[in-house]
């Protein structure tokens, strides 16, 4: 393959030129096969008495009767002719009524009209079954043949709101039964720049036209399927190897124009999907046309880099984006006027690229000559299409055929590139494998040495990491402790300093004893606060160790109650323990993994807090319950007091460090540090548990400690 495609091979050059010439001749022969002798209607009469249309289908052309801004049925036309005589205007078909001069004024592309032509048949055709092949007519129409309604595409109306546009090709059959065939067609267009019968209507035998139509559909299906398969294949190829973007742009170009071939010609999209929206069909066709030039430019830049200037790429991107935005946001009536401008833009793209291809061919770049030759074929087919859709060329839709020739040539070029790349990669892989084998032999001992030293370094690194973590925890604890001391001790120290100065200055000598008592109490309070701050900082930095063991919660609570019963009762409070329900469970009583010393400290903080905020004669109650959540058992320890309660809006804050709530009407006794509940939460969380409080702000508070059971 590489030898065949190599530049400089005269054999392949002759093959390409021959294939292009044969392809063009064959395509022209298929697309524009010679018709029967040309016949043209004059003043609405087409004389076909000298031709056998059953065997020689022909395209209807010439003068048709033209009733502008009127939707007339065959009966209406007969009544008007009998009443007013012959006051008819004529219009040449096929052509748009855009620009037609009527009463000294040129018509625009929108409006509605009625067309009529009378066909005189030969004796051979009178009793034959005939057919009419109807092209796409902008944008809705009705067709009567000898007074019988045979075709209706869309909904015809006299304004935009009453017209339903639709695009479709049709093949209708009828039996003449006489030597005269009258065709009446109503056409309405309010959605496109050009309205009217702009393409040839073919008349012939039913069998001949059916065969011709099926051949055209088969040819378009072959071309469309080829383009779609090639496009999808190259997109998949790009997905497997994304380094080269040439298959991406080539696959997009081929896939998009394969989709476009469904939207033009025989309109296979409407045959496969009759309800396909015409507006979407038109937008897709124009968007593909607008983006085609940019995509092929990017593909050319991937194949032959440095031949497309940066300014041309930027200008192409801007112009293409502008056209696509206009097509996307405007109705077909507006953007269909830009068809000629879009065609000029695409032709300029191709001409610019062909100039670059000439330079690449002169510098003997691989594939440049093939690219240039098939680009000429694609250029002529695209130019012919634009001329045809602007009613300037008699040759029909040729761009799918030209694009297929272009696509096949590009596929061969990309295949050659991939083959060369794969061969180079195989050669490089072999060389690398040989070098790797030698290096493997040389590095066997080195790898062993490196592995041993790596293990030693890893062990040293682990030791350093452990030491560093310990040092980090210690440093974090030191910083937190320093921050706590700085924050929490400033107020009592300031207060003590004030009392000392009052004693020194003898402000009130009679109160010196009271001032000294305040200093002593604050000193005790500061000492206790320092201990609690130190312990809390160790808790928060994970420096407190826990000795966990399985403990029956009922036994733990009984020991705790017995240990602190006298302390609570000395405060003139009623102290109760309630776990009667758990005693009945026996062996099923809850067991929790806990550090009894730490958990006892947390529970005492709750009891101490309850004692502090409960007046003499009040109640402090400890209870135990078991709850199940999602098949997991939890031991619920609760501490309840009969104080004045905690406002509900402060329940979430009481576990924060330094938070203190002084309940009104309660004898303060010993002032707290605000750290007890924070310490309690840290200890409970270390046991995988939770702590929360409930209170209505009036009748005491309840603290719940939830611990998972084994």
């Amino acid at each position: 393959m590489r030898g065949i495609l190599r530049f400089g091979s005269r054999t392949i050059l002759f093959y390409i030129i021959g294939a292009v010439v044969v392809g063009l001749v064959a395509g022209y022969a298929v697309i524009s096969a010679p018709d029967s002798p040309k016949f043209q209607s004059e003043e609405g009469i087409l004389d076909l008495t000298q031709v056998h249309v059953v065997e020689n289908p022909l395209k209807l052309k010439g003068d048709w009767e033209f009733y502008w801004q009127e939707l007339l049925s065959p009966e209406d036309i007969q009544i008007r002719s009998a009443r007013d005589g012959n006051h008819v205007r004529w219009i040449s078909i096929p052509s748009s009524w855009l620009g037609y001069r009527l009463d000294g004024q040129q018509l625009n592309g929108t409006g509605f009209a009625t067309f009529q032509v009378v066909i005189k048949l030969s004796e051979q055709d009178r009793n034959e079954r005939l057919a009419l092949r109807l092209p796409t007519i902008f944008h809705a129409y009705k067709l009567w043949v000898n007074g019988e309604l045979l075709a209706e595409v869309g909904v015809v109306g006299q304004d935009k709101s009453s017209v339903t546009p639709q695009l479709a090709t049709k093949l209708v059959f009828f039996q003449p039964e006489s030597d005269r065939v009258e065709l009446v067609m109503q056409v309405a267009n309010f959605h496109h720049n050009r309205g009217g019968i702009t393409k040839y209507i073919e008349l012939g035998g039913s069998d001949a036209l059916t065969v011709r139509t099926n051949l055209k559909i088969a040819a378009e299906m072959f071309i469309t399927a080829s383009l779609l398969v090639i496009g999808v294949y190259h997109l998949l190829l790009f997905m497997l190897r994304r380094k080269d973007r040439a298959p991406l742009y080539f696959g997009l170009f081929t896939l998009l124009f394969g989709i476009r071939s469904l939207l033009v010609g025989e309109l296979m999209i409407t045959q496969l999907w009759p309800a396909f929206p015409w507006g979407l069909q038109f937008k897709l066709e124009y968007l593909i046309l607008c983006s085609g030039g940019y995509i092929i430019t990017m593909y050319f830049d991937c194949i032959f880099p440095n031949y497309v200037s940066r300014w041309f790429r930027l200008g192409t991107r801007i112009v293409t984006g502008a056209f696509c935005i206009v097509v996307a946001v405007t109705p077909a009536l507006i953007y269909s006027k830009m068809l000629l401008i879009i065609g000029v833009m695409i032709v300029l793209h191709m001409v610019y690229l062909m100039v670059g291809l000439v330079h690449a061919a002169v510098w003997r770049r691989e594939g440049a000559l093939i690219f240039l030759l098939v680009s000429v074929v694609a250029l002529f087919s695209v130019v012919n299409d634009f001329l045809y859709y602007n009613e300037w060329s008699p040759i029909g839709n040729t761009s799918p055929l030209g694009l297929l020739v272009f696509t096949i040539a590009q596929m061969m070029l990309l295949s050659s590139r991939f083959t060369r790349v794969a061969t180079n990669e195989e050669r490089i892989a072999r060389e690398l494998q040989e070098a790797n084998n030698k290096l493997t032999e040389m590095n066997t001992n080195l790898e062993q040495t490196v592995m041993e030293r790596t293990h030693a370094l890893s062990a040293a690194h682990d030791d350093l990491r452990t030491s560093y973590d310990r040092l980090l925890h210690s440093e974090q604890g030191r910083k937190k402790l320093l921050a706590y001391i700085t924050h929490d001790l400033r107020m009592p120290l300031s207060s003590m300093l004030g009392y000392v100065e009052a004693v020194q200055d003898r402000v009130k000598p009679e109160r010196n004893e009271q001032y000294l008592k305040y200093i002593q109490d604050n000193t005790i309070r500061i000492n206790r606060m320092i201990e609690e701050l130190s312990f809390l900082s160790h808790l928060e930095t994970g420096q407190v160790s826990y000795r966990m063991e399985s403990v029956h919660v009922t036994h733990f609570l009984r020991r705790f109650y017995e240990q602190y019963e006298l302390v609570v009762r000395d405060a003139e409070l009623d102290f109760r323990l309630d776990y009667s329900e758990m005693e009945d469970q026996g062996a099923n009583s809850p067991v929790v993994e806990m550090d009894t010393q730490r958990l006892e400290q947390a529970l005492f903080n709750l009891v101490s807090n309850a004692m502090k905020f409960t007046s003499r004669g009040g109640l402090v109650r400890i209870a135990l319950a078991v709850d199940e959540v999602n098949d997991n058992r939890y031991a619920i320890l609760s501490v309840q007091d009969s104080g004045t309660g905690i406002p509900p809006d402060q329940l979430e804050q009481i576990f924060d460090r330094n938070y203190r709530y002084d309940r009104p009407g309660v004898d303060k006794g010993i002032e707290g540090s605000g750290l007890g509940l924070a310490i309690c939460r840290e200890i409970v969380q270390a046991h995988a548990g939770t702590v929360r409080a409930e209170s209505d702000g009036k009748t005491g508070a309840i603290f719940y400690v939830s611990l998972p059971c084994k």
Side-chain angles (χ1 to χ4, degrees):
M1 177 64 73
R2 287 181 298 161
I4 293 177
L5 294 176
R6 188 173 59 249
F7 180 86
S9 176
R10 295 186 178 181
T11 303
I12 187 57
L13 179 60
F14 291 143
Y15 286 164
I16 293 174
I17 295 175
V20 170
V21 172
V22 171
L24 289 177
V25 172
Y28 186 85
V30 171
I31 295 172
S32 58
D35 290 327
S36 302
K38 302 299 181 182
F39 292 88
Q40 185 169 329
S41 58
E42 297 180 359
E43 295 186 354
I45 304 296
L46 178 59
D47 188 357
L48 300 181
T49 56
Q50 303 302 318
V51 64
H52 188 27
V53 295
V54 172
E55 298 178 356
N56 301 298
L58 55 84
K59 297 175 181 178
L60 304 183
K61 61 181 298 185
D63 297 334
W64 288 40
E65 295 182 13
F66 183 58
Y67 302 91
W68 177 243
Q69 296 295 74
E70 295 183 90
L71 297 178
L72 304 177
S73 65
E75 294 80 4
D76 295 334
I77 294 176
Q78 291 178 3
I79 294 173
R80 172 171 294 193
S81 298
R83 183 185 63 199
D84 300 334
N86 188 13
H87 297 287
V88 181
R89 296 182 177 89
W90 318 99
I91 189 171
S92 180
I93 296 298
S95 66
S96 171
W97 61 56
L98 176 65
Y100 178 77
R101 298 194 67 85
L102 182 66
D103 297 333
Q105 295 183 350
Q106 288 188 345
L107 303 181
N108 58 23
T110 59
F112 55 94
T114 303
F115 301 83
Q116 182 188 37
V117 68
V118 176
I119 303 173
K120 295 181 179 180
L121 301 176
S122 64
E123 294 182 1
Q124 295 173 307
D125 297 328
R126 295 176 184 176
N127 298 317
E128 298 288 343
R129 190 166 183 262
L130 302 181
L132 287 170
R133 183 178 176 275
L134 303 172
T136 54
I137 297 175
F138 297 123
H139 231 154
Y141 68 88
K142 287 183 178 181
L143 172 66
W144 285 267
V145 178
N146 289 338
E148 180 183 359
L149 181 62
L150 290 187
E152 183 174 5
V153 174
V155 177
V156 178
Q158 297 184 1
D159 52 43
K160 186 175 182 178
S161 61
S162 61
V163 172
T164 301
Q166 187 178 353
L167 290 177
T169 59
K170 280 187 172 293
L171 190 64
V172 297
F173 305 94
F174 64 94
Q175 192 74 32
E177 298 180 355
S178 68
D179 61 349
R180 178 185 173 92
V181 175
E182 180 186 61
L183 303 183
V184 175
M185 181 174 286
Q186 296 178 356
V187 179
N189 171 60
F190 291 94
H191 299 81
H192 194 270
N193 183 43
R194 293 181 298 114
I197 307 173
T198 59
K199 300 175 184 177
Y200 285 108
I201 298 175
E202 293 186 65
L203 173 66
S206 59
D207 294 338
L209 277 185
T210 300
V211 171
R212 179 178 293 187
T213 301
N214 290 337
L215 286 176
K216 289 185 177 180
I217 292 176
E220 290 193 6
M221 289 182 64
F222 170 75
I223 294 173
T224 301
S226 301
L227 292 174
L228 293 177
V229 170
I230 293 172
V232 172
Y233 168 76
H234 283 86
L235 289 178
L236 293 176
L237 205 61
F238 169 74
M239 295 297 294
L240 297 176
R241 187 176 183 271
R242 300 192 178 189
K243 185 177 180 181
D244 185 9
R245 290 184 173 269
L248 169 64
Y249 293 117
F250 179 68
L252 283 176
F253 179 81
T254 308
L255 182 64
L256 289 177
F257 277 88
I259 295 173
R260 181 180 178 273
S261 63
L262 294 171
L263 309 174
V264 297
E266 294 298 320
L267 296 178
M268 287 185 288
I269 188 68
T270 59
Q271 298 187 30
L272 298 173
W273 187 2
F276 192 84
W278 73 270
L280 179 60
Q281 175 184 337
F282 249 67
K283 283 189 183 293
L284 287 176
E285 179 185 352
Y286 274 73
L287 287 173
I288 292 172
L289 283 176
C290 293
S291 60
Y294 174 74
I295 295 175
I296 201 64
T297 300
M298 299 305 296
Y299 169 68
F300 176 82
D301 192 40
C302 293
I303 298 294
F304 304 109
N306 304 322
Y307 281 93
V308 179
S309 70
R310 182 170 61 90
W311 295 108
F312 184 78
R313 284 199 303 269
L314 179 60
T316 297
R317 188 176 304 171
I318 294 174
V319 173
T320 301
F323 274 111
C324 289
I325 291 174
V326 171
V327 172
V329 302
T330 60
L333 186 61
I334 295 177
Y335 66 75
S336 60
K337 298 178 181 180
M338 301 190 305
L339 181 60
L340 183 59
I341 302 176
I342 296 173
V344 171
M345 178 187 71
I346 294 177
V347 170
L348 290 177
H349 272 88
M350 298 188 69
V351 170
Y352 179 88
L353 297 182
M354 290 171 68
V355 173
L357 286 171
V358 171
H359 286 288
V362 170
W363 288 98
R364 296 176 177 263
R365 294 293 301 272
E366 180 184 4
L369 185 59
I370 298 176
F371 205 145
L372 179 61
L373 292 174
V374 296
S375 295
V376 173
V377 176
L379 176 62
F380 278 110
S381 64
V382 170
V383 170
N384 174 76
D385 264 16
F386 281 106
L387 295 176
Y388 172 71
Y389 285 112
N390 283 281
E391 305 174 20
W392 296 336
S393 173
I395 304 176
N397 188 32
T398 58
S399 60
L401 179 61
L403 289 173
L404 182 61
V405 174
F406 177 81
T407 301
I408 292 175
Q410 296 306 317
M411 186 173 60
M412 295 172 62
L413 176 61
L414 289 177
S415 299
S416 174
R417 284 165 53 89
F418 270 95
T419 302
R420 185 179 68 254
V421 170
T423 303
N424 291 336
E425 289 180 352
E426 291 176 357
R427 176 179 55 80
I428 294 172
R430 286 197 304 269
E431 295 175 355
L432 289 175
Q433 184 63 38
E434 294 173 359
N436 183 65
N437 292 336
K438 294 179 181 179
L439 289 174
T440 301
E441 295 176 0
M442 295 172 60
N443 293 335
T444 302
N445 295 331
L446 181 61
E447 288 180 358
Q448 184 65 29
T449 303
V450 170
M451 186 178 299
E452 293 174 356
R453 293 185 179 180
T454 300
H455 284 309
L457 288 174
S458 178
H461 177 267
D462 292 340
D463 293 339
L464 287 174
R465 171 59 66 180
T466 302
S467 300
Y468 173 76
D469 291 340
R470 291 174 180 173
L471 182 60
L472 182 62
H473 283 302
S474 177
E475 178 65 15
Q476 290 176 347
R478 186 188 66 80
K479 289 181 178 180
K480 284 197 172 186
L481 179 59
L482 181 60
Y484 292 163
I485 291 174
T486 302
H487 178 272
D488 294 330
L489 301 187
R490 181 180 293 111
M491 182 63 70
L493 287 176
S494 298
S495 177
M496 291 173 61
L497 181 61
Y499 293 145
V500 170
E501 291 176 349
V503 173
Q504 289 178 342
D505 297 339
R506 298 181 178 182
V507 176
K508 291 183 178 181
E510 69 277 7
R511 299 186 65 179
N512 285 350
E513 183 177 353
Q514 183 180 1
Y515 291 159
L516 291 175
K517 182 66 170 62
Y518 287 159
I519 293 172
Q520 180 184 14
D521 292 343
N522 277 332
T523 303
I524 296 172
R525 179 185 175 194
I526 290 172
N527 184 52
R528 184 172 63 254
M529 186 180 298
I530 290 174
E531 292 178 356
E532 292 181 347
L533 283 171
S534 177
F535 183 65
L536 179 59
S537 66
H538 283 76
L539 283 174
E540 292 178 343
T541 56
Q543 299 183 61
V544 176
S545 60
Y546 292 85
R547 302 178 62 181
M548 309 298 284
E549 58 182 342
S550 299
V551 177
H552 283 274
V553 184
T554 54
H555 299 165
F556 167 76
L557 285 182
R558 168 55 63 183
R559 288 196 302 270
F560 179 85
Y561 177 77
E562 293 173 352
Q563 181 177 356
Y564 293 102
E565 181 180 8
L566 293 178
V567 175
V568 179
R569 296 192 183 278
D570 286 344
E572 300 182 14
L573 297 175
D574 185 10
F575 192 34
R576 298 179 186 177
L577 173 63
D578 185 4
Y579 59 83
S580 57
E581 296 182 0
M582 299 299 105
E583 291 180 337
D584 298 337
Q585 295 186 9
N588 293 327
S589 63
V591 177
V592 173
E593 283 283 332
M594 69 170 71
D595 183 328
T596 55
Q597 181 179 356
R598 300 299 182 196
L599 200 59
E600 180 181 309
Q601 180 181 0
L603 193 60
F604 178 74
N605 283 347
L606 296 179
V607 172
S608 176
N609 195 63
M611 294 169 57
K612 174 182 173 182
F613 293 105
T614 303
S615 302
R616 292 181 179 86
L619 169 67
V620 176
R621 175 176 174 269
I622 303 176
L624 172 64
V626 176
D627 189 16
E628 290 193 10
V629 179
N630 297 329
D631 298 330
N632 295 321
R633 297 182 73 204
Y634 291 88
I636 311 298
L637 286 69
S638 62
V639 176
Q640 180 181 1
D641 65 65
S642 60
T644 57
I646 305 170
D649 59 345
Q650 299 187 32
L651 290 176
E652 296 295 330
Q653 306 173 32
I654 59 176
F655 294 98
D656 294 340
R657 184 180 62 84
N658 294 329
Y659 178 82
R660 287 187 294 269
Y661 169 66
D662 296 329
R663 307 185 209 186
V666 177
D667 183 11
K668 292 184 176 62
I670 301 175
E671 293 187 3
S673 63
L675 300 176
L677 293 181
I679 293 174
C680 176
R681 179 175 62 181
E682 293 293 334
I683 294 175
V684 172
Q685 289 180 348
H687 286 74
T690 59
V691 59
R692 62 185 178 88
E694 290 183 359
S695 176
D696 59 2
K698 298 178 180 179
T699 57
I702 305 177
F703 289 81
Y704 295 96
V705 176
S706 176
L707 299 172
C709 298
K710 290 187 59 175

